Amino acid sequence: MHCVLRSDDLFVIQRAKDVLEAKGITCLIKNQFASGAMGEIPPQDCIPELWLLDESWAPRAERILAELDERPQQGAWHCPQCRELNEAQFAICWNCQDSRD
Ligand SMILES: [Zn+2]
């Protein structure tokens, strides 16, 4: 298997997984629930990771993820309260639950 993404922000990992799977690239999240086990395992093993089931998809997956970073989604908005970036379909901030208006 091949790790394509590491981030301590599970939201980022989950979004990348959704995008890849929409394109037929099967992947899985490791350490998804690791924060609850913090203290029992070393912190570097607690960072959520996105893994491809098939390594041959890696170049394609990495290109898709690179494009994702470059182009913010249409309609994405920054929270007026905490400045987090939210996806267009959400009416409230994922981070602080403030409304987009
Ligand atoms: Zn917010």
Side-chain angles (χ1 to χ4, degrees):
M1 291 208 298
H2 180 85
C3 178
V4 277
L5 187 64
R6 284 188 105 199
S7 171
D8 56 12
D9 187 347
L10 194 56
F11 183 79
V12 169
I13 299 273
Q14 185 65 55
R15 188 175 70 129
K17 180 174 189 283
D18 289 346
V19 169
L20 291 178
E21 293 201 325
K23 296 190 184 281
I25 298 173
T26 312
C27 42
L28 62 86
I29 298 172
K30 283 193 180 183
N31 301 334
Q32 183 168 11
F33 305 109
S35 58
M38 212 60 105
E40 291 168 34
I41 40 181
Q44 66 269 24
D45 292 336
C46 296
I47 297 174
E49 296 174 341
L50 191 63
W51 287 73
L52 300 180
L53 295 188
D54 184 339
E55 209 168 310
S56 65
W57 285 324
R60 191 162 166 238
E62 277 163 12
R63 197 171 61 239
I64 291 167
L65 294 179
E67 285 174 6
L68 201 63
D69 282 344
E70 281 163 22
R71 276 187 256 137
Q73 274 194 331
Q74 204 168 18
W77 51 282
H78 283 280
C79 174
Q81 188 68 32
C82 70
R83 309 307 305 160
E84 280 296 338
L85 186 64
N86 291 278
E87 293 184 45
Q89 69 265 34
F90 297 119
I92 58 167
C93 175
W94 65 270
N95 185 48
C96 72
Q97 280 78 51
D98 200 19
S99 95
R100 68 189 294 175
D101 306 313

